Amino acid sequence: MSNNKFRPPESFLPNTERTLVLVDWSNLMYRAWFVSREQPWVAFCKFFDMLRLCIHKSKQPGSPINVIFCGESRTKLKRAELFPEYKGTRKASKNEEFAAFRKKLEFYIEKLGYKLLRVDGAEADDVIASIVASTCHRCYCVTPCVNCDHALAYTTDVVIFSGDRDLQQLLAWDRVLIYRAPGLFVDKAAFEEEFGIPVKKYGVYKALIGDKSDNILGVEGFGPVKAQVAINANTVAEDIWELGGSEASAQFKLALALVNLDTKIDLDLSDIYVGTPKINEKELLKHLDKRILLEIKRFKEEF
């Protein structure tokens, strides 16, 4: 297990049949670009190197690795229909070099046999959430089960590669880990130690404190500490009403609708290739630098 020193040892279960890595495409792409943009070829190499390291740290001996790239909708987001100011503080990049990088990177991914999975109106987080919900087990019992028999039927480990903290609500499902480069894994136990609340309440927590990056206001009067106390004391509804009555209650309901991920998207994954990268060197060298090809080959070696 020395190759996976950052992955919690208890996450390696004997009945694992595969590990599925769900890549938050935009998150990884932006990260690669902004640390290497002075030399675009370096950004491509960085993307595949980060991906390679994720695979290296995630895999379990004897179990195959699968990869799915999840992207943003190219059409108007459903959340923007619910709240027009959603993500209103974010401005689309007009950098021509970045636009070219993004287009070429998607082209390279397709050349390797993969497909960028997008759903109209949905964010990448929702696509990832729906795959998790259809792949992993979650106990909805009022009193959580211990060694639930239903859970034994689920044999896929899921590693989400993203720095987006909204995805932490998916740690409520069994066998789910979040990987943050360059090697840190977050599991349910690590989350609950950091935030001091049950992971299944993370959506409530975010709805209370808001999220400036997505322009979600939250409920006025709540900060991280007050939200934590209210959640653990089970007094969220009473505290919201005491702070702002019906107006605060409406703020909370809207924020919760924006924060909660959609886990019910009907996805057909039957034609999605998820296996080892398909490398045709002669064909690839028509389109990319030899240094990028070298990183792609190193990425393939991890499968």
Side-chain angles (χ1 to χ4, degrees), residues 36-256:
S36 316
R37 55 188 172 185
E38 290 184 3
Q39 293 179 295
W41 70 269
V42 177
F44 291 111
C45 290
K46 185 66 175 178
F47 179 91
F48 287 106
D49 183 58
M50 289 192 294
L51 197 55
R52 178 197 62 79
L53 186 59
C54 175
I55 299 296
H56 180 72
K57 296 290 185 182
S58 300
K59 63 186 179 181
Q60 181 171 347
S63 300
I65 282 276
N66 293 159
V67 179
I68 298 178
F69 295 89
C70 304
E72 302 288 316
S73 170
R74 287 174 169 166
T75 60
K76 186 176 181 179
L77 297 176
K78 291 181 180 178
R79 289 181 178 84
E81 295 175 359
L82 181 64
F83 181 57
E85 290 79 23
Y86 178 68
K87 290 191 174 181
T89 56
R90 300 191 187 186
K91 302 298 181 183
S93 174
K94 296 181 180 180
N95 186 306
E96 293 182 0
E97 288 185 339
F98 172 72
F101 165 72
R102 179 175 56 193
K103 185 176 181 179
K104 284 183 180 179
L105 186 58
E106 184 170 351
F107 175 77
Y108 296 160
I109 289 296
E110 291 175 351
K111 283 292 182 181
L112 298 179
Y114 301 112
K115 177 182 178 182
L116 186 53
L117 186 59
R118 292 187 176 99
V119 176
D120 286 349
E123 297 180 59
D125 292 5
D126 299 311
V127 177
I128 291 171
S130 293
I131 296 175
V132 166
S134 65
T135 304
C136 300
H137 171 264
R138 177 175 177 176
C139 180
Y140 287 95
C141 300
V142 176
T143 302
C145 299
V146 178
N147 298 324
C148 178
D149 290 340
H150 296 291
L152 297 176
Y154 295 81
T155 58
T156 296
D157 290 345
V158 172
V159 175
I160 301 168
F161 188 3
S162 178
D164 189 338
R165 289 183 174 265
D166 288 343
L167 289 163
Q168 290 179 130
Q169 58 191 277
L170 300 179
L171 294 172
W173 276 261
D174 297 340
R175 308 184 74 126
V176 175
L177 299 164
I178 295 176
Y179 174 85
R180 295 178 187 154
L184 174 67
F185 287 87
V186 180
D187 62 1
K188 178 181 177 181
F191 168 89
E192 294 185 343
E193 181 180 353
E194 178 183 355
F195 285 87
I197 58 171
V199 69
K200 64 182 180 180
K201 295 292 186 180
Y202 185 60
V204 173
Y205 175 84
K206 284 295 294 291
L208 288 171
I209 69 172
D211 187 341
K212 290 183 179 179
S213 66
D214 287 341
N215 205 28
I216 298 174
L217 301 179
V219 180
E220 187 174 353
F222 275 93
V225 174
K226 186 171 182 61
Q228 180 194 72
V229 171
I231 288 170
N232 288 328
N234 199 27
T235 60
V236 171
E238 294 93 327
D239 291 351
I240 289 174
W241 191 263
E242 183 178 329
L243 280 171
S246 59
E247 183 177 348
S249 180
Q251 288 176 340
F252 174 72
K253 289 177 181 178
L254 174 59
L256 191 62

